[in-house]
Amino acid sequence: MAAYLIADVNVTDHNAFEEYRREVPATEARYGGRYLGRGGATKVLEGDWEPHRLVIVEFPDMTSLMAWYDSPEYARLRAIRERCATTRIIALEGVALPG
């Protein structure tokens, strides 16, 4: 069953973040990750949420998502992101659709 990484990223150092943005897709792809949304325009429909840079990545399953997140190749990039952005990230397990 698919799993989704959903992140709200507030970039505080755009120059430093560029390396992360450029290199992270290849690490996600190795674990079956693919972007469903990445930094596009947002429109709040309800509530007081003020999203920054939203990212949604689909993985084949939660095991693949967590294997990527805990991987050595992502650890270096995660450290870069943590220095140049504040981020809220969740992992969401999908649902099996009938049919």
Side-chain angles (χ1 to χ4, degrees):
M1 177 176 333
Y4 304 91
L5 178 129
I6 303 170
D8 183 4
V9 184
N10 182 15
V11 179
T12 55
D13 181 342
H14 290 274
N15 290 333
F17 188 76
E18 183 59 28
E19 180 180 3
Y20 175 86
R21 189 195 64 74
R22 187 177 57 249
E23 294 185 26
V24 76
T27 67
E28 292 164 331
R30 286 185 206 118
Y31 293 84
R34 69 181 187 105
Y35 285 98
L36 299 180
R38 184 181 186 206
T42 60
K43 181 175 180 127
V44 176
L45 301 179
E46 294 186 24
D48 60 0
W49 186 18
E50 294 183 31
H52 298 92
R53 176 184 171 80
L54 289 181
V55 178
I56 302 172
V57 184
E58 180 182 52
F59 286 86
D61 50 46
M62 189 64 77
T63 300
S64 299
L65 188 158
M66 294 309 301
W68 165 77
Y69 187 78
D70 294 331
S71 70
E73 60 263 70
Y74 182 60
R76 180 183 71 80
L77 296 173
R78 186 170 60 205
I80 293 170
R81 178 184 46 78
E82 289 170 349
R83 283 193 305 272
C84 62
T86 56
T87 309
R88 295 184 298 171
I89 301 174
I90 63 169
L92 171 67
E93 190 168 64
V95 296
L97 299 175

